[in-house]
Amino acid sequence: MSAWSITTPIYYVNAEPHIGHTYTTVVADTLARYHRLAGDDVFCVTGTDEHGDKIAEVAAAAGEDPRVFADRISNLFRSTWQELGLSFDRFIRTTDPDHVRAVQHVLELVHAKGDIDFREYRGLYCVGCERFLTERDMVDGLCRDHERAPEERTESNYFFRMTRYFDALGEKIEREPDWIRPARYRNEVLAMLREDSGLEDLCISRPKTRLDWGIELPFDPDYVCYVWFDALINYLAALGYPDQPGWEARWGGVEHLIAKDILKPHGVFWPCMLMAADLPLYQHLNVHGYWNVDDRKISKSLGNMVSPLKMRDKYGFDAFRYFLLRDMSFGLDSSFSEEALVTRINADLANNLGNLVSRTLNMTARFADGVVPEPDAAGPLEAGVEAAAREAAREVATRMRELEMHRALEAIFRLVDATNKYLDERAPWKAAKEPERAGEVRTTLHTCCQALRSIGLLLSPFVPDTAAEILDRVGATDALASARLPDDAERWGAVSPGTPTRKGDALFPRIELETGDA
Ligand SMILES: [Zn+2]
């Protein structure tokens, strides 16, 4: 049994949950479900990031206390994930007292080590970025990310002497090529560490005179901590650092999931902070790309953020999460449109999977009194389906280790295809007309019921409600409680003859696309 601590970024409370947050959260949930079924010790964390100028600014604009504002948006994230069935072992907020203690503890360690010093700094500051900009952060005098003019500021601040760790970090990355994955992001981080990248020591304080919405520095009460230095420590605090029993074991198996826009803090700041605090580094940094919507970047101003709750109401959440996992190759950008979603639902879920489930169970009702029939001896065709289940189970295990969820789903759907093809070849609706082929009909339906059990088990981390429904219909309701993947999905004959099955309605009714531009 190995420890798998899976983290999403803690989401900044300046926006409501959209497709980007939902994707990372669904991946975390899917990995957690998979590893629980594989017998691993899983601890899954999400939460909200609540400090900093930006929140103080928007709260002030809304005429609210930042705490009240943060409570509201944080609760919205929490309730959205709950409503969607995405469950976590810890929902951490950077305003939680145990997080504040953990941040101050790390600050004390790093300060005592001599890695924090006090310097005067004069420069151009972007409120959107919450930091001083360098030349390469600007285009025509405007912040590259925020397209607004930075303000000139002089400040005495505390700096984390991060650059002293760049060599050690670069060596770690060279030594362990998949530590930051996929490889393109590893190369990006290596480029950030090069001297010509302009990356310098990190300013980690804000004077209270201009910002008091933050965690106070333990060694200087006139300052609060920079929001990134604060936020990253949530990954430790959520596991119980520094004083709750068991945090070290959980930390030993920590897998971070992030989108590529926050690669620098996670690929550079965070490992340098951990080295400075003499803490072990994370297992992997897993970086995914962006979701575009209708081929455009998502943005508040375009209003194309895609609400996960709306998608659930319209299509069901299993269908939406299936699309997210199936259509994004982890690491690359992908595009969402309702048309693509509907096409995917119809092709994979309604026609392919749904059809297999309904054909198998309708014929079991018709030709076998609704119970899993006693088979005759299996022939090569049956052996082929069994082999397809074994292959699918093993490939899913491999793909999940590499975070290739779309490939894992492809492997499961090869089993669905193989079973559909088998059913077509055996054609029990014809065979049932010839009494001397009754044994063949029983064998065919028995084989399909076994395949449905394997498919249900394998699909469970990806589309949990649908998988539970398939298992229930095929009389394997309890299979998930004791299942161990991948072995259990290969175990043939686990659905005993005589087990009652249930037809039920179509799992995924075909959806007609609304056409025309009205
Ligand atoms: Zn900016």
Side-chain angles (χ1 to χ4, degrees):
M1 187 152 111
S2 48
W4 267 76
S5 301
I6 301 160
T7 70
T8 75
I10 46 173
Y11 301 118
Y12 207 46
V13 293
N14 65 342
E16 297 184 0
H18 59 59
I19 186 170
H21 308 117
T22 307
Y23 176 72
T24 324
T25 311
V26 162
V27 170
D29 179 77
T30 302
L31 287 173
R33 288 175 189 271
Y34 180 81
H35 284 283
R36 281 197 185 100
L37 283 173
D40 294 329
D41 181 19
V42 175
F43 197 83
C44 198
V45 181
T46 193
T48 45
D49 178 10
E50 306 179 12
H51 292 128
D53 310 49
K54 238 188 289 184
I55 301 307
E57 248 193 12
V58 283
E64 270 180 317
D65 181 80
R67 175 81 214 199
V68 173
F69 179 86
D71 280 350
R72 185 158 49 79
I73 308 292
S74 179
N75 287 336
L76 185 62
F77 274 95
R78 190 195 301 251
S79 66
T80 300
W81 304 148
Q82 272 168 354
E83 270 195 62
L84 297 174
L86 303 167
S87 66
F88 288 86
D89 298 296
R90 173 76 195 266
F91 186 97
I92 190 166
R93 303 181 54 183
T94 54
T95 46
D96 286 340
D98 63 336
H99 173 78
V100 173
R101 275 200 310 278
V103 171
Q104 292 185 326
H105 189 78
V106 170
L107 281 164
E108 270 168 353
L109 287 176
V110 179
H111 189 242
K113 201 170 176 190
D115 281 341
I116 293 176
D117 58 12
F118 197 57
R119 304 175 194 169
E120 180 154 286
Y121 187 83
R122 180 184 172 81
L124 294 168
Y125 184 91
C126 173
V127 177
C129 298
E130 308 201 40
R131 60 183 175 84
F132 287 98
L133 302 181
T134 63
E135 226 161 81
R136 66 186 64 223
D137 295 322
M138 289 182 283
V139 179
D140 300 330
L142 303 179
C143 168
R144 186 187 287 277
D145 290 341
H146 295 94
E147 294 176 8
R148 63 200 265 183
E151 304 161 15
E152 189 163 316
R153 287 187 184 178
T154 305
E155 262 180 21
S156 290
N157 267 308
Y158 290 91
F159 282 76
F160 168 43
R161 301 172 68 183
M162 174 169 84
T163 49
R164 352 167 107 177
Y165 295 97
F166 281 11
D167 285 348
L169 179 55
E171 281 161 25
K172 162 88 178 172
I173 296 170
E174 299 285 3
R175 207 166 52 237
E176 289 175 46
D178 80 335
W179 183 56
I180 296 173
R181 58 186 182 182
R184 54 195 343 219
Y185 300 110
R186 158 190 185 268
N187 296 333
E188 277 186 40
V189 172
L190 283 174
M192 290 172 195
L193 297 176
R194 281 203 303 263
E195 237 164 80
D196 60 359
S197 79
L199 196 55
E200 292 167 4
D201 285 342
L202 188 66
C203 178
I204 57 155
S205 67
R206 299 292 180 266
K208 278 190 184 168
T209 47
R210 74 169 160 87
L211 178 73
D212 64 358
W213 180 236
I215 296 175
E216 190 177 288
L217 297 186
F219 43 83
D220 191 337
D222 290 337
Y223 287 85
V224 297
C225 183
Y226 166 53
V227 66
W228 266 115
F229 198 97
D230 158 357
L232 289 161
I233 294 168
N234 95 83
Y235 298 127
L236 283 168
L239 305 184
Y241 175 88
D243 48 18
Q244 297 300 306
W247 76 265
E248 290 102 332
R250 284 184 174 143
W251 178 251
V254 82
E255 297 280 337
H256 292 322
L257 298 169
I258 63 164
K260 65 184 182 183
D261 58 330
I262 49 177
L263 179 61
K264 188 188 285 179
H266 287 81
V268 180
F269 304 175
W270 183 221
C272 290
M273 288 165 64
L274 291 166
M275 285 191 266
D278 293 315
L279 289 165
L281 302 178
Y282 45 73
Q283 274 298 306
H284 291 108
L285 179 61
N286 305 287
V287 189
H288 68 77
Y290 289 141
W291 278 98
N292 295 314
V293 171
D294 299 321
D295 295 321
R296 302 177 77 174
K297 211 176 154 176
I298 55 171
S299 76
K300 264 188 197 169
S301 54
L302 285 173
N304 63 347
M305 316 282 279
V306 185
S307 150
L309 291 174
K310 279 190 191 147
M311 288 298 116
R312 179 210 46 190
D313 293 346
K314 200 161 171 190
Y315 301 104
F317 193 59
D318 267 7
F320 186 55
R321 65 184 276 163
Y322 176 77
F323 176 88
L324 294 178
L325 294 165
R326 179 65 187 77
D327 273 54
M328 177 170 270
S329 163
F330 194 89
L332 302 176
D333 292 351
S334 198
S335 194
F336 172 83
S337 69
E338 284 198 51
E339 194 182 344
L341 171 64
V342 166
T343 304
R344 189 54 94 179
I345 293 172
N346 284 342
D348 292 8
L349 300 178
N351 291 356
N352 206 348
L353 176 65
N355 202 21
L356 176 64
V357 171
S358 72
R359 291 203 295 167
T360 300
L361 297 175
N362 282 332
M363 284 190 282
T364 302
R366 206 162 137 207
F367 305 131
D369 299 321
V371 300
V372 177
E374 184 80 50
D376 280 358
L381 289 183
E382 285 72 30
V385 180
E386 191 180 340
R390 196 163 51 237
E391 271 168 39
R394 292 184 187 174
E395 181 159 356
V396 168
T398 311
R399 298 299 186 179
M400 291 308 273
R401 274 197 297 275
E402 305 296 324
L403 269 81
E404 294 178 311
M405 276 74 60
H406 67 301
R407 296 272 182 240
L409 283 168
E410 277 176 4
I412 300 169
F413 273 78
R414 277 199 291 278
L415 171 60
V416 176
D417 288 339
T419 313
N420 264 323
K421 186 159 166 270
Y422 164 77
L423 198 50
D424 291 342
E425 279 170 351
R426 283 292 190 203
W429 54 94
K430 283 187 202 153
K433 290 175 187 156
E434 303 168 38
E436 68 277 13
R437 292 174 71 190
E440 180 193 320
V441 173
R442 289 198 313 272
T443 305
T444 304
L445 295 174
H446 178 268
T447 301
C448 290
C449 287
Q450 302 302 333
L452 285 184
R453 177 183 176 277
S454 294
I455 291 164
L457 285 174
L458 291 172
L459 279 178
S460 172
F462 304 90
V463 282
D465 293 347
T466 304
E469 176 66 14
I470 293 172
L471 290 170
D472 189 58
R473 287 186 190 187
V474 78
T477 312
D478 300 334
L480 283 170
S482 57
R484 281 288 171 269
L485 290 183
D487 297 3
D488 251 297
E490 299 179 22
R491 203 153 60 81
W492 217 240
V495 189
S496 309
T499 305
T501 66
R502 181 167 60 80
K503 285 196 293 185
D505 299 329
L507 279 182
F508 292 94
R510 261 191 81 82
I511 301 165
E512 296 305 322
L513 252 185
E514 294 155 26
T515 49
D517 353 4

